[in-house]
Amino acid sequence: MTDDMTETVDEVTEATEATEIPLSERIEAILLIVDEPLGLVALAAAVGSPVPAVRQTLETLVDDYDGKGKGPRRGFELREVGGGWRLYVREDLDSLVAEFVGGQAPARLSQAALETLAVIAYKQPVTRSQVASIRAVNVDSVVRTLLARGLITELFADSETGAINYGTTDALLQHLGINSLDELPPISPLLDDGADGFDEGTIR
């Protein structure tokens, strides 16, 4: 058997093994790692199943997490936002999560986190992909860190793409000792050419 034939067999075997895993588990695995709502078609492609089957499974998972199935209600829920699906902490548990996050021992932000926070502060509302484009690196983990610290928040989901737009919180103002974003220094003097990565020198 040639190397090409061996690779083809291996690919078919891997695909077969993947589809043997229950669809609900595959969907949960993908939704667990996404930072923005994932559209039905994209989710179906990611798990390798037809759209109707994925839609039906999503509806079953919603009921399951809401306690309408065989098990109890979960502390998280599956919601469709902006044409996409994503897991969220239940609204009545927000205060509990906020208290837990706020009670964690403070730690210094990394350089990457500081740079990402600066982009969001000056460009908000801004999506994760826009931040990544400006910084030219993946910012998924950094955005999660900033969200967990309460320094940024999800403002709204784009009605067309479902992408989450982020902005800073009052907690950031308190840390910086300012009353509003208008008190942030102009960004242009801090850039090499006065415009690299930014359209304007003021807050949007």
Side-chain angles (χ1 to χ4, degrees), residues 3 9 11 26 29 35 49 52 65 73 75 86 90 114 122 125-126 134 151 157-158 166 168 172 179 183 187 195:
D3 291 340
V9 171
E11 290 174 357
R26 284 180 277 148
D35 290 317
S49 293
Y65 300 156
R73 192 186 80 147
R86 184 184 175 195
R90 291 193 180 278
L114 289 172
Y122 280 94
V126 62
I134 291 173
L151 298 176
D158 186 277
Y166 297 94
T168 53
L172 175 62
N179 294 314
E183 297 180 34
I187 190 65

Short mmCIF file of all heavy atoms in Angstrom, two decimals, residues 3 9 11 26 29 35 49 52 65 73 75 86 90 114 122 125-126 134 151 157-158 166 168 172 179 183 187 195:
data_model
loop_
_atom_site.label_atom_id
_atom_site.label_comp_id
_atom_site.label_asym_id
_atom_site.label_seq_id
_atom_site.Cartn_x
_atom_site.Cartn_y
_atom_site.Cartn_z
N ASP A 3 2.05 5.32 0.35
CA ASP A 3 1.88 6.29 1.44
C ASP A 3 0.58 7.08 1.27
O ASP A 3 -0.11 7.37 2.24
CB ASP A 3 3.07 7.26 1.46
CG ASP A 3 4.35 6.56 1.90
OD1 ASP A 3 4.23 5.48 2.53
OD2 ASP A 3 5.45 7.09 1.63
N VAL A 9 -6.67 6.18 3.99
CA VAL A 9 -7.33 5.24 4.90
C VAL A 9 -7.38 5.82 6.30
O VAL A 9 -8.39 5.73 7.01
CB VAL A 9 -6.60 3.89 4.90
CG1 VAL A 9 -7.16 3.00 6.01
CG2 VAL A 9 -6.76 3.20 3.55
N GLU A 11 -7.35 8.97 7.17
CA GLU A 11 -8.30 10.08 7.22
C GLU A 11 -9.73 9.57 7.31
O GLU A 11 -10.54 10.09 8.06
CB GLU A 11 -8.14 10.96 5.98
CG GLU A 11 -6.83 11.75 5.96
CD GLU A 11 -6.65 12.50 4.66
OE1 GLU A 11 -7.52 12.34 3.76
OE2 GLU A 11 -5.67 13.24 4.53
N ARG A 26 -20.19 16.20 20.59
CA ARG A 26 -19.36 16.98 19.65
C ARG A 26 -19.76 18.46 19.66
O ARG A 26 -18.91 19.34 19.63
CB ARG A 26 -19.50 16.39 18.25
CG ARG A 26 -18.71 15.09 18.04
CD ARG A 26 -18.88 14.56 16.64
NE ARG A 26 -20.11 13.79 16.50
CZ ARG A 26 -20.83 13.71 15.39
NH1 ARG A 26 -20.48 14.42 14.33
NH2 ARG A 26 -21.91 12.97 15.33
N ALA A 29 -18.51 20.11 22.85
CA ALA A 29 -17.06 20.33 22.82
C ALA A 29 -16.71 21.60 22.06
O ALA A 29 -15.84 22.37 22.48
CB ALA A 29 -16.36 19.12 22.18
N ASP A 35 -15.57 31.79 21.67
CA ASP A 35 -15.69 33.06 22.39
C ASP A 35 -16.83 33.91 21.86
O ASP A 35 -17.23 34.88 22.50
CB ASP A 35 -14.39 33.87 22.27
CG ASP A 35 -13.26 33.23 23.08
OD1 ASP A 35 -13.53 32.81 24.21
OD2 ASP A 35 -12.15 33.14 22.57
N SER A 49 -21.97 17.15 10.71
CA SER A 49 -23.33 16.60 10.68
C SER A 49 -24.26 17.54 9.93
O SER A 49 -23.99 18.74 9.82
CB SER A 49 -23.85 16.39 12.11
OG SER A 49 -23.13 15.37 12.76
N PRO A 52 -30.08 20.08 9.87
CA PRO A 52 -31.30 19.72 10.61
C PRO A 52 -31.00 18.92 11.88
O PRO A 52 -31.64 19.13 12.92
CB PRO A 52 -32.09 18.89 9.60
CG PRO A 52 -31.62 19.38 8.26
CD PRO A 52 -30.17 19.64 8.45
N TYR A 65 -30.36 21.47 29.57
CA TYR A 65 -29.73 22.42 30.48
C TYR A 65 -30.76 23.18 31.33
O TYR A 65 -30.47 23.58 32.46
CB TYR A 65 -28.89 23.44 29.71
CG TYR A 65 -27.77 22.83 28.90
CD1 TYR A 65 -27.25 23.48 27.78
CD2 TYR A 65 -27.22 21.59 29.24
CE1 TYR A 65 -26.22 22.93 27.04
CE2 TYR A 65 -26.20 21.03 28.49
CZ TYR A 65 -25.70 21.71 27.38
OH TYR A 65 -24.69 21.16 26.65
N ARG A 73 -31.67 21.33 36.33
CA ARG A 73 -31.27 22.53 35.63
C ARG A 73 -29.79 22.79 35.89
O ARG A 73 -29.31 22.61 37.01
CB ARG A 73 -32.09 23.74 36.10
CG ARG A 73 -31.92 24.95 35.20
CD ARG A 73 -32.64 26.16 35.78
NE ARG A 73 -31.85 26.79 36.83
CZ ARG A 73 -31.86 28.10 37.07
NH1 ARG A 73 -32.62 28.91 36.36
NH2 ARG A 73 -31.13 28.60 38.04
N GLY A 75 -26.19 25.24 35.79
CA GLY A 75 -25.82 26.61 36.12
C GLY A 75 -25.47 27.43 34.90
O GLY A 75 -25.15 28.61 35.01
N ARG A 86 -24.18 29.87 21.73
CA ARG A 86 -23.07 29.95 22.67
C ARG A 86 -23.56 29.60 24.07
O ARG A 86 -24.73 29.81 24.39
CB ARG A 86 -22.47 31.36 22.65
CG ARG A 86 -21.23 31.51 23.54
CD ARG A 86 -20.77 32.94 23.55
NE ARG A 86 -19.68 33.13 24.48
CZ ARG A 86 -19.26 34.31 24.92
NH1 ARG A 86 -19.84 35.41 24.49
NH2 ARG A 86 -18.27 34.42 25.77
N ARG A 90 -25.99 31.42 33.70
CA ARG A 90 -27.36 31.89 33.88
C ARG A 90 -27.37 33.26 34.55
O ARG A 90 -26.57 33.55 35.44
CB ARG A 90 -28.16 30.89 34.71
CG ARG A 90 -28.42 29.60 33.96
CD ARG A 90 -29.48 28.75 34.64
NE ARG A 90 -29.68 27.52 33.87
CZ ARG A 90 -30.45 27.43 32.80
NH1 ARG A 90 -31.10 28.49 32.37
NH2 ARG A 90 -30.58 26.29 32.15
N LEU A 114 -2.18 43.97 28.53
CA LEU A 114 -2.19 45.43 28.58
C LEU A 114 -2.37 46.03 27.18
O LEU A 114 -3.13 46.99 27.00
CB LEU A 114 -0.88 45.94 29.20
CG LEU A 114 -0.71 45.71 30.70
CD1 LEU A 114 0.69 46.10 31.14
CD2 LEU A 114 -1.75 46.52 31.48
N TYR A 122 -9.41 52.22 23.38
CA TYR A 122 -9.39 53.31 22.40
C TYR A 122 -10.31 53.05 21.20
O TYR A 122 -10.74 54.00 20.55
CB TYR A 122 -7.97 53.55 21.90
CG TYR A 122 -7.13 54.37 22.85
CD1 TYR A 122 -6.32 53.75 23.80
CD2 TYR A 122 -7.17 55.76 22.82
CE1 TYR A 122 -5.56 54.49 24.68
CE2 TYR A 122 -6.40 56.52 23.71
CZ TYR A 122 -5.61 55.88 24.64
OH TYR A 122 -4.86 56.62 25.52
N PRO A 125 -16.74 50.47 20.55
CA PRO A 125 -16.92 49.01 20.59
C PRO A 125 -16.11 48.34 19.50
O PRO A 125 -16.04 48.83 18.37
CB PRO A 125 -18.41 48.84 20.37
CG PRO A 125 -18.80 50.03 19.54
CD PRO A 125 -17.95 51.15 20.03
N VAL A 126 -15.50 47.21 19.83
CA VAL A 126 -14.62 46.53 18.89
C VAL A 126 -14.75 45.03 19.07
O VAL A 126 -14.97 44.54 20.18
CB VAL A 126 -13.15 46.98 19.13
CG1 VAL A 126 -12.67 46.61 20.52
CG2 VAL A 126 -12.22 46.45 18.07
N ILE A 134 -5.48 44.25 14.60
CA ILE A 134 -4.63 45.38 14.99
C ILE A 134 -3.34 44.88 15.65
O ILE A 134 -2.25 45.37 15.34
CB ILE A 134 -5.38 46.32 15.96
CG1 ILE A 134 -6.51 47.04 15.22
CG2 ILE A 134 -4.42 47.33 16.59
CD1 ILE A 134 -7.40 47.86 16.12
N LEU A 151 -12.46 43.85 33.53
CA LEU A 151 -11.95 45.08 32.94
C LEU A 151 -12.63 45.41 31.61
O LEU A 151 -12.65 46.56 31.19
CB LEU A 151 -10.43 44.97 32.73
CG LEU A 151 -9.62 44.78 34.01
CD1 LEU A 151 -8.14 44.57 33.68
CD2 LEU A 151 -9.80 45.99 34.93
N ALA A 157 -23.99 42.05 20.28
CA ALA A 157 -23.61 41.16 19.19
C ALA A 157 -24.00 41.79 17.87
O ALA A 157 -25.09 42.35 17.74
CB ALA A 157 -24.28 39.80 19.34
N ASP A 158 -23.11 41.74 16.90
CA ASP A 158 -23.40 42.28 15.58
C ASP A 158 -24.60 41.55 14.98
O ASP A 158 -24.65 40.32 14.98
CB ASP A 158 -22.18 42.12 14.66
CG ASP A 158 -22.37 42.81 13.32
OD1 ASP A 158 -23.00 42.18 12.45
OD2 ASP A 158 -21.91 43.95 13.15
N TYR A 166 -16.81 44.37 22.19
CA TYR A 166 -16.35 44.54 23.55
C TYR A 166 -16.09 46.01 23.87
O TYR A 166 -15.82 46.83 22.99
CB TYR A 166 -15.06 43.75 23.79
CG TYR A 166 -15.22 42.27 23.63
CD1 TYR A 166 -14.95 41.64 22.42
CD2 TYR A 166 -15.65 41.48 24.70
CE1 TYR A 166 -15.11 40.27 22.27
CE2 TYR A 166 -15.80 40.11 24.56
CZ TYR A 166 -15.53 39.51 23.34
OH TYR A 166 -15.68 38.16 23.19
N THR A 168 -14.80 48.63 27.59
CA THR A 168 -14.24 48.62 28.94
C THR A 168 -15.32 48.85 29.98
O THR A 168 -16.43 49.28 29.66
CB THR A 168 -13.15 49.69 29.07
OG1 THR A 168 -13.67 50.96 28.66
CG2 THR A 168 -11.95 49.35 28.19
N LEU A 172 -12.20 49.47 35.10
CA LEU A 172 -10.96 49.96 34.49
C LEU A 172 -10.74 51.42 34.85
O LEU A 172 -9.61 51.83 35.17
CB LEU A 172 -11.02 49.80 32.97
CG LEU A 172 -9.82 50.38 32.21
CD1 LEU A 172 -8.54 49.67 32.62
CD2 LEU A 172 -10.02 50.30 30.71
N ASN A 179 -12.34 59.47 35.56
CA ASN A 179 -13.79 59.45 35.63
C ASN A 179 -14.46 58.99 34.34
O ASN A 179 -15.59 58.51 34.36
CB ASN A 179 -14.33 60.84 35.99
CG ASN A 179 -13.91 61.26 37.40
OD1 ASN A 179 -14.02 60.47 38.33
ND2 ASN A 179 -13.43 62.48 37.54
N GLU A 183 -10.75 61.06 29.44
CA GLU A 183 -9.54 61.47 30.13
C GLU A 183 -8.32 60.64 29.72
O GLU A 183 -7.21 60.91 30.19
CB GLU A 183 -9.74 61.38 31.65
CG GLU A 183 -10.81 62.32 32.18
CD GLU A 183 -10.98 62.20 33.68
OE1 GLU A 183 -9.97 61.97 34.37
OE2 GLU A 183 -12.12 62.33 34.17
N ILE A 187 -3.82 58.93 21.64
CA ILE A 187 -3.01 57.78 21.28
C ILE A 187 -1.95 58.10 20.24
O ILE A 187 -0.88 57.51 20.21
CB ILE A 187 -3.90 56.61 20.77
CG1 ILE A 187 -3.09 55.32 20.64
CG2 ILE A 187 -4.56 56.98 19.45
CD1 ILE A 187 -2.59 54.77 21.95
N ALA A 195 -0.40 56.59 13.49
CA ALA A 195 -1.65 56.01 12.99
C ALA A 195 -1.63 54.50 12.88
O ALA A 195 -2.62 53.91 12.50
CB ALA A 195 -1.97 56.59 11.61
#
